[in-house]
Amino acid sequence: MGKNIEFKRELTRELDIEREVVAFLNYHEGGMLYIGIDDSGKPIGVQDIDGDMLKIKDRIRNGISPSPMGLFDVMMERIDDIPVIKIFVASGSEKPYYKTKFGLSERGCFIRVGTAAEPMTPKQIENLYAKRVRLSLKNIPSPHKELTFRQLHIYYDSQHLTLNESFAQNLDLLTADGGYNYVAYLLADTNSMSIKLAKYAGTDRDELIENHEYGYCSLLKATDQVLNRLQVENTVKSSIGYPYRTDTPLWNERAVRELVINAIVHNDYFNEVSPKFELFSDRLEITSAGSLPNGMSKTDFFNGVSNPRNKELMRVFRDVDLVESLGTGLQRVLKVYNEESFVFMDNFIRVVIPYAWLPSNSEDGDVNVLENVPVNVLENSEENLIQLTERQLLIIKEIENVAANVAVNVAVNVAVNTKYLSERLGVNRKTIQRELAGLVEKNLIKWVGSDKTGHWELIEKE
């Protein structure tokens, strides 16, 4: 255990889950609670993973105030191949959080002190309440009373989720008096919010050659429009060489996707300033309004401490699979781009992404610049080029690596299945299944063995 990690052997009625989560919500770094691990850190396992996860989510949602929605994530994790439950809790912006049953009292309010959840004193509760950020998007009334949400329904339907008649209340889209709030306004079919994407001829803003606006619609749709446009702009340089053709995009698509969504979800919309995306001849710049949240340092930021500015937006973006697990996106970005890429200003945060190569300096000979093609192309013969996404190529490499390890060490026992690939690549299983289906369609991989214990293998080409 540590100051922001807690281990519990099992989920029981006696285990005060709400107390532990409240303590992490009130702690400036948040924390992680594991179920199925003993005090020494040894994984014991959980018998009913799905059932216990549902119970935990229900207890957190209904037992804590203010609403912690968008601030926690419950997931299954394997430690030494033993399944345990991981509860990720972000530091909340509406402190003090408390157990609803006991209210703002010493029996209801807790905070992490050292390695334990301790009751807060009346003075601590009073001080935190005085500092509470009362101004939040959910408390600001929508500029328009009549809103429609056809696009929001479409996005939820795409994830096989149904929004019932109470969806506005369930998603925190209402103010205290029952009217639509500003979050609802941003997610509505029509609004005045516009996200700008500009393209310049050189390395400065002197010569604007393209100016696009995406918006006046649901923020979900506007996000997809920005991502699609950047995908078009992410030109690829290809080096031809049998049996593979190596393609280098201007930027890492996955990392930039994370940065784009973060800029939109965590943007400070209080002054109706939207994120801005700018393409120069040598770099991509992503600028979002708002500085670091109060109490968060740059060290906290780069260490993955999560304190969502707009937790209602975060919750919706997670529901429709635009955002994955809390607290993981920035860590994936930092594997590709270093901390120097981030510029912190008084009222804005900017990320500067240098291009992997300069489009104006394309080389002659075997190197060609190809536009609007997938990130990677696998060449299995000189005449036959098979187009693959970046993630599909990573899947093939994972299958190859495991097969090579098995060949030299028969004791290796790894089944390359959906679950394994999901954990290795850090994406959800639905995404892996979609990529696997594409590889099967291209006749590159096959399933070997039974449905439960089988694995994926590459199809050998003659």
Side-chain angles (χ1 to χ4, degrees), residues 43-256:
I44 304 299
V46 177
Q47 293 296 325
D48 184 8
I49 285 281
D50 293 334
D52 282 358
M53 288 173 64
L54 286 174
K55 292 177 184 176
I56 291 168
K57 291 177 182 178
D58 184 63
R59 287 176 61 174
I60 295 175
R61 279 196 297 259
N62 299 318
I64 296 176
S65 297
S67 172
M69 294 305 297
L71 293 171
F72 73 94
D73 203 1
V74 182
M75 65 198 81
M76 190 274 285
E77 187 171 297
R78 285 188 175 273
I79 299 178
D80 296 336
D81 207 33
I82 297 175
V84 300
I85 294 175
K86 176 183 177 181
I87 307 168
F88 180 92
V89 184
S91 177
S93 60
E94 296 183 271
K95 302 179 181 70
Y97 292 83
Y98 54 90
K99 294 170 64 173
T100 306
K101 182 178 179 180
F102 298 107
L104 287 169
S105 68
E106 293 177 74
R107 298 181 65 189
C109 296
F110 302 88
I111 193 167
R112 194 76 176 174
V113 178
T115 61
E118 299 290 344
M120 294 173 62
T121 65
K123 185 66 174 177
Q124 286 177 310
I125 296 172
E126 181 182 342
N127 288 340
L128 271 183
Y129 190 80
K131 295 178 182 178
R132 177 182 286 182
V133 181
R134 300 186 183 186
L135 185 63
S136 64
L137 292 182
K138 76 173 185 178
N139 295 328
I140 301 176
S142 167
H144 303 293
K145 294 182 179 180
E146 301 298 327
L147 301 177
T148 60
F149 299 93
R150 184 178 61 85
Q151 294 164 11
L152 182 65
H153 278 80
I154 290 173
Y155 274 88
Y156 269 79
D157 288 343
S158 71
Q159 297 300 316
H160 306 291
L161 300 173
T162 302
L163 294 178
N164 58 29
E165 294 180 356
S166 302
F167 78 92
Q169 180 178 353
N170 295 336
L171 297 180
D172 280 336
L173 304 185
L174 302 177
T175 58
D177 60 7
Y180 286 125
N181 59 25
Y182 206 84
V183 183
Y185 179 64
L186 291 174
L187 295 171
D189 295 330
T190 304
N191 55 52
S192 63
M193 187 58 60
S194 173
I195 299 176
K196 294 177 173 55
L197 190 153
K199 187 174 183 179
Y200 304 96
T203 59
D204 52 34
R205 295 178 176 84
D206 287 347
E207 187 178 348
L208 177 67
I209 56 176
E210 289 185 39
N211 188 24
H212 303 276
E213 286 195 43
Y214 303 102
Y216 309 112
C217 60
S218 172
L219 201 58
L220 295 170
K221 183 176 180 181
T223 300
D224 267 341
Q225 290 174 330
V226 172
L227 290 171
N228 289 338
R229 181 64 201 185
L230 287 177
Q231 187 174 27
V232 170
E233 295 289 345
N234 195 14
T235 309
V236 175
K237 180 175 73 172
S238 300
S239 300
I240 308 298
Y242 186 79
Y244 292 104
R245 185 170 86 187
T246 302
D247 289 353
T248 305
L250 288 176
W251 56 76
N252 182 281
E253 181 179 353
R254 185 180 180 193
V256 166

Side-chain angles (χ1 to χ4, degrees), residues 298-312:
K298 293 180 183 179
T299 301
D300 294 334
F301 177 82
F302 288 123
N303 284 336
V305 174
S306 182
N307 187 357
R309 187 190 308 276
N310 307 310
K311 65 177 184 177
E312 297 83 16

